[in-house]
Amino acid sequence: MVVKVDLSHLPLNLKSTILSNQEFSSLPRDDRNGQNADVVVLEVPQEIKETIIKTIEKILSLSNVEGYSVVENMIDESEIAVLKSGDIEELGIFICAHCGAPFQNREQMMIHQRMHYIF
Ligand SMILES: [Zn+2]
């Protein structure tokens, strides 16, 4: 299985921070598209996807970068993308401000968000 990590929405310096991170670069990569491709193809089991998301989130917070989220592609389950918060809605993805869960439309997100107000 592969997990594709779309870094094309990131500025170059942030992209290289992620690519050069030891934990991230230790993952087995398929470099057929070249070392600096915008979409990094990792040859890992699908279950590792959550771990990869956590790893990238950790790298982002260690770099003191704010305003970026790691989201899963709704259509292609093997793909995750690092997006700037402002770009996310343009791509038709809505992120819950409370827990970061992604939704395909505002309606779904609103329904989900009600859950956070129960307690
Ligand atoms: Zn939520």
Side-chain angles (χ1 to χ4, degrees):
M1 288 303 283
V2 298
V3 172
K4 290 173 270 180
V5 184
D6 183 353
L7 301 173
S8 64
H9 305 274
L10 296 178
L12 266 181
N13 59 337
L14 192 51
K15 195 174 127 181
S16 55
T17 303
I18 292 174
L19 291 175
S20 62
N21 176 271
Q22 209 174 359
E23 209 171 323
F24 189 82
S25 61
S26 68
L27 296 162
R29 265 173 77 172
D30 176 347
D31 277 329
R32 258 171 293 178
N33 296 323
Q35 287 273 346
N36 288 310
D38 279 338
V39 179
V40 179
V41 181
L42 300 169
E43 298 212 54
V44 291
Q46 199 69 40
E47 308 87 76
I48 305 291
K49 195 169 76 172
E50 282 303 313
T51 315
I52 296 170
I53 293 175
K54 296 236 153 56
T55 303
I56 300 172
E57 283 172 344
K58 200 168 73 189
I59 299 169
L60 290 174
S61 70
L62 285 174
S63 331
N64 281 319
V65 192
E66 279 177 40
Y68 286 92
S69 306
V70 188
V71 296
E72 297 179 53
N73 188 317
M74 297 291 170
I75 299 128
D76 181 351
E77 283 190 6
S78 69
E79 185 165 305
I80 57 178
V82 187
L83 300 173
K84 201 171 178 170
S85 304
D87 294 339
I88 290 172
E89 299 200 358
E90 269 174 52
L91 291 167
I93 303 166
F94 294 86
I95 302 290
C96 170
H98 304 281
C99 70
F103 297 93
Q104 263 171 309
N105 59 57
R106 188 174 289 277
E107 196 88 316
Q108 279 179 13
M109 184 186 71
M110 299 302 257
I111 293 165
H112 160 86
Q113 280 189 333
R114 284 185 208 141
M115 175 186 95
H116 293 292
Y117 296 108
I118 294 171
F119 302 103

